[in-house]
Amino acid sequence: MSSTSDASLIAALNNASTQLNRYFAIFIIIFGVVGNTINICVLSRRPLRSNPCAWLFLASSIANGIGILASVISRPLSTWSADLTNTNQFLCKLRAFLLFNAITIGSWLIMLATVDRWLSSNIDANKRQRSTLKNAQIETSSLL
């Protein structure tokens, strides 16, 4: 008797997981892409281009947008058996590479923006002088 109830519980949980992957991932894609696009539009405006912290957040938004697109697009497709990363090994490895590198780079860029804000508000004038756009661009290019 318990094996049939266990089997029905497993089937119900499997169905719930499929439905979540199918429909919730669509909302993540929409809101993630829209949010990162708005960030990119706002942070690339002329008054913010000379701010090193805005530069780092701009690069972070680009990296996180790539991470969202690389990771979440295959989720709803896999529930309809249309995910090419299951059949094509190159696409599977490319997706994993883009996902993990983009999310890691985005996190590091946010950490560098935190350090930049600390430098720009420091009491020591020598440390404040290290908060420059040139240093932010060098830090960004070293991560990429």
Side-chain angles (χ1 to χ4, degrees):
M1 182 91 169
S2 74
S3 66
T4 54
S5 65
D6 289 345
S8 64
L9 176 66
I10 290 171
L13 290 174
N14 192 17
N15 185 32
S17 173
T18 301
Q19 297 304 319
L20 277 174
N21 282 334
R22 186 175 288 170
Y23 299 112
F24 189 62
I26 294 170
F27 289 112
I28 293 174
I29 291 171
I30 291 170
F31 289 117
V33 169
V34 168
N36 279 309
T37 304
I38 291 171
N39 281 343
I40 291 168
C41 290
V42 168
L43 293 171
S44 61
R45 298 184 69 155
R46 185 169 297 279
L48 295 175
R49 287 186 198 159
S50 61
N51 186 336
C53 189
W55 173 267
L56 293 168
F57 279 126
L58 173 64
S60 175
S61 293
I62 293 169
N64 286 330
I66 291 170
I68 286 172
L69 290 175
S71 66
V72 182
I73 285 182
S74 65
R75 283 292 190 200
L77 294 177
S78 67
T79 60
W80 284 295
S81 301
D83 186 12
L84 293 177
T85 60
N86 289 336
T87 57
N88 190 331
Q89 189 176 12
F90 174 75
L91 287 177
C92 180
K93 290 182 179 184
L94 179 66
R95 177 185 160 268
F97 175 80
L98 288 174
L99 166 67
F100 294 123
N101 283 322
I103 298 300
T104 302
I105 289 171
S107 299
W108 275 102
L109 287 167
I110 292 172
M111 187 274 310
L112 288 172
T114 304
V115 171
D116 179 71
R117 290 290 90 195
W118 177 78
L119 287 172
S120 67
S121 64
N122 203 306
I123 295 172
D124 187 7
N126 291 327
K127 289 182 182 172
R128 278 196 311 270
Q129 291 176 349
R130 292 183 186 171
S131 175
T132 62
L133 181 61
K134 181 180 176 184
N135 285 341
Q137 290 171 341
I138 290 171
E139 292 163 355
T140 303
S141 66
S142 69
L143 286 175
L144 302 176

